[in-house]
Amino acid sequence: MAELNSLSLLSDANLQAYYRLEDINDSKDSHTLTNNNTVAFNAAKYNNGADFGASNTNKSLYRATNFTIDGGANTFSCWVKLTTEIGSGKYSIFDHRSSATTNIITSIDYEYNAGTRRLTFHRVKLSVVDNAINYTITLGTTAYYHLAITYNATDIIAYVNAVNVGTIGSTGNGTGAQSAQFSLGSTIDPVQFLSGIIDDTAIFDRALTAAEILTVFIDQGGSKRALLGVGL
């Protein structure tokens, strides 16, 4: 098993930030995170990860930047394990805001929707439309899942354990006046927090291919068993 830290994608020119989450530092560039309300760094998928606790109400990791992703192509990739299964509302895994020019929100959430648990992969055009992919799944609290969302300037593609679980078209920008921001473990507005652990988070300003997502997943400890829908 290996972190992205040991893969060839670490030297990819389009990798804008890489958080091993041993701490708040960016292992690719200088996008150090702000630790809001003492997120712990405890045992995770690879060494340590960001542990937001079992009943998170105020903890997050934050950076006032868009990593040069301003409505264009991108990939967000991470490992997640819950510490408390969701019973109502929403857990935010990450939230990325482009700028007041394009007004795009990219995010992955886990929510309880009228008795159904699901992951939601968003490209929100602020004040216009939420282009979202919903994938019904119960994550539980024992397994790590590799989650990724890519955007190639035409389509959003959602991946769970390297399996494409949905594709939806999305073009154009939103309207409004938002600032460039990024948050792990919470949304920015309205605030929703994650009770879980996030590890090995990578941000690219291009869409990784399905083959690259699979390489990241397999080389980071994935298996054919997980490809069939079982967490690790």
Side-chain angles (χ1 to χ4, degrees), residues 36 42 47 53 63 69 74 84 88 96 115 120 136 190 192:
N36 294 319
N42 294 326
N47 300 312
R63 177 80 183 182
I69 299 169
N74 61 73
T84 300
S88 64
H96 174 272
T120 58
T136 299
Q192 303 280 349

Side-chain angles (χ1 to χ4, degrees), residues 115-198:
T116 299
R117 294 178 173 90
R118 67 186 190 185
L119 286 163
T120 58
F121 301 77
H122 300 270
R123 183 179 187 265
V124 179
K125 294 180 283 188
L126 193 64
S127 300
V128 176
V129 67
D130 180 2
N131 297 135
I133 296 165
N134 298 315
Y135 177 65
T136 299
I137 186 173
T138 298
L139 297 183
T141 59
T142 60
Y144 279 93
Y145 289 83
H146 183 258
L147 307 180
I149 180 172
T150 70
Y151 178 61
N152 61 10
T154 301
D155 296 312
I156 309 160
I157 304 177
Y159 295 91
V160 177
N161 287 349
V163 174
N164 179 335
V165 298
T167 301
I168 188 171
S170 182
T171 57
N173 298 324
T175 61
Q178 68 175 5
S179 301
Q181 303 173 71
F182 175 74
S183 183
L184 279 172
S186 79
T187 53
I188 294 165
D189 180 29
V191 179
Q192 303 280 349
F193 295 96
L194 170 71
S195 294
I197 299 170
I198 301 176

Side-chain angles (χ1 to χ4, degrees), residues 101-120:
T101 301
T102 58
N103 294 290
I104 298 295
I105 304 168
T106 304
S107 64
I108 301 177
D109 303 318
Y110 182 57
E111 65 182 21
Y112 190 82
N113 180 58
T116 299
R117 294 178 173 90
R118 67 186 190 185
L119 286 163
T120 58

Side-chain angles (χ1 to χ4, degrees), residues 60-119:
S60 65
L61 299 173
Y62 174 83
R63 177 80 183 182
T65 184
N66 61 13
F67 307 104
T68 74
I69 299 169
D70 196 12
N74 61 73
T75 298
F76 294 84
S77 165
C78 65
W79 287 90
V80 175
K81 182 171 81 75
L82 301 186
T83 46
T84 300
E85 179 58 83
I86 197 166
S88 64
K90 179 188 297 184
Y91 286 164
S92 176
I93 296 165
F94 83 88
D95 184 290
H96 174 272
R97 310 275 170 130
S98 59
S99 73
T101 301
T102 58
N103 294 290
I104 298 295
I105 304 168
T106 304
S107 64
I108 301 177
D109 303 318
Y110 182 57
E111 65 182 21
Y112 190 82
N113 180 58
T116 299
R117 294 178 173 90
R118 67 186 190 185
L119 286 163

